Amino acid sequence: MSKPKLLIIDDDESIRTQMKWALAQDYEVFLAEDRPSALTVLGREQVAVVTLDLGLPPDPNGAEEGFWALSAILEQNPLAKVVILTGRTEKENALQAVGQGAYDFFLKPVEIDELKVVLRRALHVYQLEHENRMLQQQVCSESFEDMLGNSRQIQEVFASIRKVAPTDASVLIQGESGTGKELAARAIHRLSGRRNGPFVAINCGAIPENLLESELFGHEKGAFTGAHALKKGRIESAQGGTLFLDEIGDLPLPLQVKLLRFLQEQKVVRIGGRQEISTDARVLAATNMDLKQAMQEGRFREDLYYRLGVVVISLPPLREREGDVVFLAQGFLEKCIGDNKKKIKGFTAQALRMIESYSWPGNVRELENRIRRAVIMTGGAMLTPADLELDSTYSQYAGKGLKEARNALEKDFILNAMTKHQGNITRVAAELGISRPTLYELMGKLGIDKKSLLHESKA
């Protein structure tokens, strides 16, 4: 297996040489002394990780040329992870570089073992993002009716849609708010024999009850005060196509009776009229409500439920779609960047971690809206947790019980301290403010193996 590629950019030849020999075992190392030579390497090599000294010629005592180099690197390879090497007196410049898209910074003098840990983490993030990008390109090239996802859960939904679409069966689409119920309904319509007919949607929960009957069934001129002209209802308007009844659980009981009659007879009578009008519309319905519970409580008719749900498709919440959240986030980001013509390179590593750990109660809609808002409002080259309005403390443990969240937090603290102190138990215990026996007890409870951790850090 080929080694990952590392580019070292430094105007000091001795530093370049020392770092090359120290890192050559783990990386295929390339060297550059200035911006032009670095860009030449990047033009011919797919570099994963870059170390960059901001002090480059023609101004080795300043940082301006280093910032230009950072910008050019990320423009040429947005996925590359750039680690800034800087002196303690230039820490502010390093922080500014991170704000402009660098992955991290490392203070000189360089401790090679510590730098290896930082580079390994940067490489891991690069590999994850690269895999996600490849997967996204693969799935986008085979996009399923405006619906994205590669998880087993959503692929099962796609398979159900393909099976039911060519039929005329009524379909009930269930799922939490924001899971894409209307997208599923439109996919069924486009894959059906009615694709050339109208797709007529109505939200049963958004229209006042006294107006809903007229919206669905229409009215004759003079049927009630304000009925100045004949009006066809949504059911008639869907002639030859598909009628989509969103939030069907909010349909009042009297209208449930009339809708059931239409489903049985395929005929409607307008308000104020006597003539039965034959219609030919396929009915798709959607709800985020537990209709079986509503039936038990007398709020929804059992016979209507079985008429609507000849086939039931359940859309999984985003938190249950294994591996889809980062994939979807990358897709939404690329779309929003194009729509808003913004020069954004991607997500920071911390933002990706927050995206993966957040529970997304608003599902796909919330994810897309947060990314769209972040793209519009950010002033940086990389989207951060703050841009996405994801609280790092809460979102990391969202969806966990109190005990599970506490164990996860304790494990994170211990692992970070173990990495920092290279497995020195005495120093780790001192930093955490606990005794060595207590630390060993916690490590056992949380499943932390010191030997495997040390082996990983030296790999």
Side-chain angles (χ1 to χ4, degrees), residues 200-221:
V200 179
I202 181 170
N203 189 319
C204 300
I207 300 174
E209 183 175 345
N210 62 329
L211 300 178
L212 186 55
E213 182 176 5
S214 175
E215 285 293 322
L216 279 172
F217 298 95
H219 61 254
E220 298 287 348
K221 180 179 179 181

Side-chain angles (χ1 to χ4, degrees), residues 78-79 133 136 329-347 368 371-376 378 380-383:
L79 294 185
R133 178 68 61 86
Q136 180 181 333
Q330 298 283 10
F332 290 146
L333 178 59
E334 289 200 2
K335 181 178 184 299
C336 291
I337 289 173
D339 291 345
N340 293 279
K341 299 179 181 177
K342 297 288 285 284
K343 293 183 178 180
I344 297 173
K345 306 301 182 183
F347 299 98
E368 184 175 12
I371 291 173
R372 182 182 294 116
R373 181 172 59 244
V375 168
I376 292 171
T378 188
M382 305 286 284
L383 293 189

Side-chain angles (χ1 to χ4, degrees), residues 142-198:
E142 304 170 358
S143 60
F144 180 75
E145 298 298 324
D146 296 333
M147 302 179 74
L148 292 177
N150 199 51
S151 64
R152 173 185 56 80
Q153 295 86 347
I154 202 65
Q155 288 296 324
E156 289 176 357
V157 170
F158 296 166
S160 297
I161 290 174
R162 291 187 185 99
K163 289 177 182 177
V164 75
T167 74
D168 253 353
S170 298
V171 181
L172 177 63
I173 305 167
Q174 299 178 327
E176 296 178 7
S177 293
T179 49
K181 296 186 289 296
E182 183 168 345
L183 282 178
R186 290 183 180 275
I188 292 171
H189 172 71
R190 285 195 294 266
L191 294 173
S192 75
R194 297 172 176 267
R195 67 180 67 87
N196 295 323

Side-chain angles (χ1 to χ4, degrees), residues 198-249:
F199 179 88
V200 179
I202 181 170
N203 189 319
C204 300
I207 300 174
E209 183 175 345
N210 62 329
L211 300 178
L212 186 55
E213 182 176 5
S214 175
E215 285 293 322
L216 279 172
F217 298 95
H219 61 254
E220 298 287 348
K221 180 179 179 181
F224 50 82
T225 303
H228 301 301
L230 179 149
K231 176 185 176 182
K232 289 184 178 181
R234 301 290 182 93
I235 296 175
E236 281 187 78
S237 299
Q239 179 74 19
T242 302
L243 174 69
F244 175 54
L245 302 172
D246 199 5
E247 304 303 344
I248 190 66

Side-chain angles (χ1 to χ4, degrees), residues 72-93:
I73 291 167
L74 294 178
E75 184 173 349
Q76 196 156 332
N77 183 3
L79 294 185
K81 301 303 163 198
V82 182
V83 178
I84 303 298
L85 302 184
T86 184
R88 294 185 183 277
T89 59
E90 298 150 356
K91 187 175 178 181
E92 286 187 7
N93 287 335

Side-chain angles (χ1 to χ4, degrees), residues 197-363:
F199 179 88
V200 179
I202 181 170
N203 189 319
C204 300
I207 300 174
E209 183 175 345
N210 62 329
L211 300 178
L212 186 55
E213 182 176 5
S214 175
E215 285 293 322
L216 279 172
F217 298 95
H219 61 254
E220 298 287 348
K221 180 179 179 181
F224 50 82
T225 303
H228 301 301
L230 179 149
K231 176 185 176 182
K232 289 184 178 181
R234 301 290 182 93
I235 296 175
E236 281 187 78
S237 299
Q239 179 74 19
T242 302
L243 174 69
F244 175 54
L245 302 172
D246 199 5
E247 304 303 344
I248 190 66
D250 293 328
L251 192 67
L253 282 169
L255 291 185
Q256 291 181 29
V257 175
K258 293 195 70 171
L259 179 61
L260 178 63
R261 186 177 301 119
F262 156 67
L263 291 172
Q264 291 169 335
E265 302 173 4
Q266 288 293 299
K267 293 179 180 179
V268 297
V269 178
R270 300 183 190 125
I271 298 174
R274 296 182 180 180
Q275 180 186 0
E276 288 187 335
I277 302 168
S278 296
T279 58
D280 174 28
R282 181 185 190 175
V283 176
L284 308 177
T287 183
N288 60 10
M289 185 184 296
D290 185 341
L291 290 186
K292 291 186 176 179
Q293 182 180 344
M295 285 190 292
Q296 292 174 356
E297 297 171 356
R299 295 183 289 110
F300 201 84
R301 293 181 61 95
E302 184 175 357
D303 46 7
L304 178 58
Y305 174 83
Y306 289 111
R307 277 284 179 177
L308 290 170
V310 175
V311 176
V312 177
I313 295 177
S314 296
L315 295 185
L318 184 54
R319 62 184 174 275
E320 294 178 7
R321 291 172 53 174
E322 299 165 2
D324 269 354
V325 64
V326 171
F327 166 71
L328 287 171
Q330 298 283 10
F332 290 146
L333 178 59
E334 289 200 2
K335 181 178 184 299
C336 291
I337 289 173
D339 291 345
N340 293 279
K341 299 179 181 177
K342 297 288 285 284
K343 293 183 178 180
I344 297 173
K345 306 301 182 183
F347 299 98
T348 65
Q350 187 182 19
L352 286 173
R353 289 195 295 269
M354 294 303 100
I355 287 171
E356 286 186 293
S357 61
Y358 184 57
S359 62
W360 298 107
N363 293 295

